[in-house]
Amino acid sequence: MEKELTIDEIQNFEGKYPKQLWHLFFSEMWERFSFYGMRGMLVFFMVHQLSMNEVVANLQYGATQAFVYAFTFVGGLFADKILGLRKSLFWGGLLMIVGSVILALDPKEFFFLGIGFNIIGTGFFKPTISSIVGNLYRNGDHRTDAGFSLFYAGVNLGALLGGYLCIAIGKGQLFQSFIPAHLAWNVAFGLAAIVMIISLLTFVRTQRSLGSIGTSPLISAEPKKRKIMEIATYIGSLLIIPFIILLVSNSEYTDIFMFIIGPCSLLYLFFEMRRFSVDENKKLLAALIFILFSIFFWAFFEQSGGSLSLFAANNLSSTVAGIPLDPNGVNNSANSLFVIIFAGLLGLVWIWLAKRRMEPNTIVKFGLGFLFLAAGFYVFYYTKFFSDENGITSLDFFTFGWFIITFGELCLSPIGMSIMTKLSPQKTQAVLMGMWFLASAYGQYFAGLLGANIAEASENATNFEKLVIYADGYKQLAIYALVAGLLLIAISPLVKKLMGGVK
Ligand code: GLN
């Protein structure tokens, strides 16, 4: 049998990427296929199969997304304290498989049960796999950001495939000649289950190459005590599922939950900080600044699933570069496609700049992220000048907006994950990653509120008036994003001080 690698052997890899990154790449790719595949079906399934009205469906969709990301904090906590990254990832993957199998068996009858399993499962899986990526690198290794960019391409490859295939199968638009119509949704959710199994198998078959990364944090505790705590975590996470189902199926509870979880996570972090040195705490403070700004970023960015999808449906033409395409499909997938094409490239640009000592530091990259976001939203606003009298405007130009925003996302999202692993002491790795994703939960939540405001203003308007109202809304968002970007760049010297030597 191959001998287990030491942490030094892993981190002293040659070349641009450690080989373990490829294993994690594929595991995460299949997991995101499953996750985005299911996510892409939710609203449609709720409206057309569960006969919910659209407002309720949207609210419940928002609730599921907020909960998914909120539970990454809880999952991260148990990963850091009890299970360790690897067992946590395995347990999360298992719960996701169970959730998607339940949905595949009878999506109508067991809808919320399946979703409940998936929420908890993602909570264990998502922050831990991202933290493991960070562990492949030595502190200060300038190749870290490039690694996260590549990993992020895997995320989006999965998102693109799953997001497109599952809904197309469910709606009966793909493979309808050999999938009986009454089983189309079962097959669609079944596909999500199969790829999740592939994800977990990929991890199980390759985890040996991780050496001691992600093993139990209780390694020095008494084995019996450790077992009891692990089993209690497994049982506890199953017992909480009925509670999650209750919260998600009554979306008014989402407000209360969101009100509580953020402050609790902060209190917890402050509580942990009392044991760390001043330098470590300064770094954690810097991490909190990144997390805070990322909430705004996601609140704007996640208009994609909400107001932008209505904008696409009402106001966009149906061709890109002369090719007939569904504007909603383009709104859903253009971004992932651009990430796949450009993530690796941008990663190489960072390495190239680093070699010449010209790489901007993370806080400036974040600032750039907001500037790209602002420019992209300005393009969305500008579509109004290409409109015909019916309020239909250019899908080409809209797609160009996503192209620009993608660079913003690449300056913030993979780099944000990377910096969380660099700024956190070993003991709070997954919790901090969980907080990073918790910011996404708030982003999702505020995105819904922002989108609802824009939508409300356009009630009873003609299609042309709608275009103008939406476009003007996006101009506002562009201005806010610009201000946030400039602010970040202005405070960068201060944050840099907090970060110590971390870049
Ligand atoms: N699209 C990325 C992913 O799925 C980022 C998600 C997020 O942080 N909101 O991993």
Side-chain angles (χ1 to χ4, degrees), residues 32 36 69 126 152 155 298 413 437 440:
R32 290 284 100 179
Y36 280 100
Y69 284 109
K126 182 73 173 152
Y152 208 66
V155 163
W298 294 117
S413 186
F437 288 118
S440 287

Side-chain angles (χ1 to χ4, degrees), residues 28 31-32 35-36 39 69 126 130 151-152 155-156 159 294 298 301-302 335-336 339 409 412-414 417 436-441 444:
E28 175 69 342
E31 184 267 342
R32 290 284 100 179
F35 176 84
Y36 280 100
R39 172 178 139 144
Y69 284 109
K126 182 73 173 152
S130 318
F151 180 70
Y152 208 66
V155 163
N156 282 277
S294 77
W298 294 117
F301 183 92
E302 291 294 345
N335 166 244
S336 288
V339 170
E409 181 189 2
L412 180 133
S413 186
M417 284 194 276
W436 168 254
F437 288 118
L438 183 59
S440 287
Q444 302 272 1

